[in-house]
Amino acid sequence: MNICFLMYPWERIDPETDTTLRLIHECVRRGHRVAVTTPGSLTMRETLVFGFCNLIQLKKKLPDNPQHFYRHVEFKRAKLPMAGFDCIFMRANPPLDVLALNFLDSVREQVFIMNDVDGMRVANNKLYTAALADPAGQYIPKTHVSKNKEYLQSVLAESATDTMILKPLTGYGGHGVILIEKRAHQNFRSLLDFYIGEGEGSHYVILQEYVEGAEKGDVRILMLNGEPIGAMRRVPSPGDIRSNIHAGGRVEKHQLTASQKQLCRAIGPKLVRDGLYFVGIDVIGDKLIEVNVLSPGGITRINKLNRARLQSNVIDFIEQVVNAREILVERKQSFRQVLADVDPK
């Protein structure tokens, strides 16, 4: 199998914890040809999309340790046709590079793209979570998305709870997430001015009900083809509401509760319909807070907590999809040959 990881720059990898590195290492371990490139390295020549890629060269025995593999890997630089890959695995960090998706549009019928181009378009920010159908309010916290400051002020004033969460629509990694208390409403307008800005350059924000238990952290669940394959609890550092690891949180082993399994069953089919085959969802209690579709992490830490190899599950799935697509192509070709062999007389 030929697979291209469309990702952040190789030198930005943290070899101790990086999920993408584990996925790449697993592909190389299985003998697949692996290339890595960045969204900014895509180019078009005579209507064909190419990528300036680094093709992994395995000149010696593959190190079992991904960290050792990272430090000693060798590359061959080449301009490669993106349609020549069996799979393109999107692992670029937010914010979404929309132009990169436009490049991929031209090869989507020839290459399995994970996650799907249209799926990434509709789900690349927190609005996707807020728009999920949940009329009974069973899974989604009450969420307001706007850049209208007066409206957001009224939402806070009319809230039945004393606290709410404010965060940018397009943020990730816990950046910009703050707790808003009604008693401090005098400062709220100033915060909105800072977060939203003015005029054409203004930004949307999310104002969301505070979910009880958030101070104890959240649960990151990795979903593969609509099913949970692993989870961990992320606990915030003292004095911080953010449980993201990059914001200073720590991780603990976690077994999904019955309500969390039900949540996964409720949203899994829609994720698959939207082509979002590998995602990370963040849950507090039994409430869905975010769906991460661009480069969900957590494999390394979940593996360590559970003595697992989740990267094996992910690559198994890609191999199954690619093999199924190849079988369909071969069947189509054989059927065409049958038709071509029919004597018109």
Side-chain angles (χ1 to χ4, degrees):
M1 181 174 70
N2 297 305
I3 181 168
C4 179
F5 286 82
L6 191 58
M7 56 181 289
Y8 36 89
W10 184 261
E11 59 272 16
R12 294 184 188 173
I13 285 178
D14 179 354
E16 300 300 320
T17 61
D18 192 83
T19 287
T20 307
L21 178 62
R22 270 68 191 171
L23 295 166
I24 291 172
H25 182 265
E26 179 66 16
C27 287
V28 177
R29 189 184 71 82
R30 296 185 184 204
H32 298 312
R33 179 173 293 182
V34 179
V36 299
T37 190
T38 62
S41 295
L42 297 178
T43 187
M44 184 173 286
R45 179 180 179 181
E46 297 177 354
T47 73
L48 297 179
V49 175
F50 291 83
F52 292 100
C53 301
N54 288 325
L55 192 63
I56 291 178
Q57 304 290 291
L58 191 61
K59 297 182 180 180
K60 300 179 181 178
K61 181 181 178 182
L62 176 70
D64 292 332
N65 186 294
Q67 297 96 314
H68 187 71
F69 164 73
Y70 176 76
R71 288 189 289 268
H72 295 88
V73 68
E74 295 183 33
F75 296 106
K76 180 178 180 180
R77 187 72 169 172
K79 179 169 67 70
L80 303 175
M82 300 306 288
F85 290 101
D86 299 298
C87 174
I88 297 173
F89 200 155
M90 175 63 91
R91 294 290 302 173
N93 284 332
L96 178 70
D97 188 330
V98 178
L99 188 58
L101 297 191
N102 293 342
F103 277 111
L104 296 182
D105 276 328
S106 66
V107 300
R108 61 191 304 179
E109 299 300 324
Q110 306 163 68
V111 183
F112 173 54
I113 301 176
M114 185 155 154
N115 288 313
D116 179 76
V117 172
D118 286 338
M120 287 188 285
R121 283 194 178 102
V122 302
N124 75 91
N125 60 48
K126 300 176 182 67
L127 193 59
Y128 181 72
T129 306
L132 289 173
D134 183 32
Q138 183 177 0
Y139 304 118
I140 313 297
K142 293 179 181 178
T143 303
H144 309 267
V145 181
S146 181
K147 58 171 66 175
N148 186 308
K149 300 172 186 177
E150 288 74 22
Y151 167 71
L152 293 170
Q153 284 180 292
S154 68
V155 169
L156 178 63
E158 296 167 7
S159 173
T161 61
D162 292 329
T163 55
M164 299 191 77
I165 296 293
L166 178 70
K167 52 189 173 182
L169 179 63
T170 56
Y172 72 100
H175 298 298
V177 179
I178 59 174
L179 188 69
I180 302 294
E181 296 185 348
K182 290 180 70 172
R183 63 184 179 181
H185 66 275
Q186 298 93 335
N187 300 321
F188 189 45
R189 178 59 185 237
S190 177
L191 286 170
L192 293 178
D193 289 339
F194 176 78
Y195 274 72
I196 295 175
E198 301 289 344
E200 294 183 358
S202 60
H203 306 281
Y204 280 95
V205 297
I206 289 180
L207 188 60
Q208 192 172 62
E209 72 169 326
Y210 179 79
V211 179
E212 292 299 326
E215 70 281 358
K216 299 177 182 178
D218 67 3
V219 173
R220 161 59 61 89
I221 304 172
L222 291 179
M223 302 278 290
L224 179 65
N225 198 28
E227 300 285 343
I229 60 170
M232 63 182 175
R233 176 169 290 280
R234 304 185 298 188
V235 182
S237 58
D240 199 334
I241 64 168
R242 302 169 302 168
S243 54
N244 305 75
I245 306 306
H246 296 296
R250 59 182 174 84
V251 299
E252 295 178 351
K253 188 173 182 178
H254 179 76
Q255 295 293 327
L256 295 182
T257 65
S259 60
Q260 289 167 351
K261 292 178 181 178
Q262 178 57 38
L263 167 62
C264 292
R265 287 192 291 269
I267 68 172
K270 176 171 175 53
L271 294 176
V272 174
R273 287 196 302 271
D274 289 341
L276 301 173
Y277 302 110
F278 183 54
V279 306
I281 65 173
D282 298 336
V283 177
I284 296 177
D286 56 0
K287 297 285 188 179
L288 177 64
I289 306 299
E290 290 186 18
V291 177
N292 304 273
V293 303
L294 290 182
S295 58
I299 277 183
T300 307
R301 293 183 173 91
I302 295 173
N303 281 352
K304 186 175 181 180
L305 291 168
N306 298 278
R307 297 183 179 180
R309 284 182 55 85
L310 297 186
Q311 63 267 38
S312 181
N313 300 60
V314 177
I315 305 307
D316 280 348
F317 171 74
I318 293 177
E319 289 176 344
Q320 291 165 9
V321 173
V322 170
N323 289 338
R325 289 165 64 104
E326 290 179 349
I327 290 172
L328 288 176
V329 170
E330 292 173 359
R331 289 181 62 190
K332 184 69 172 180
Q333 291 174 342
S334 66
F335 293 158
R336 285 175 174 170
Q337 188 60 48
V338 170
L339 293 174
D341 291 342
V342 173
D343 188 345
K345 299 179 180 180

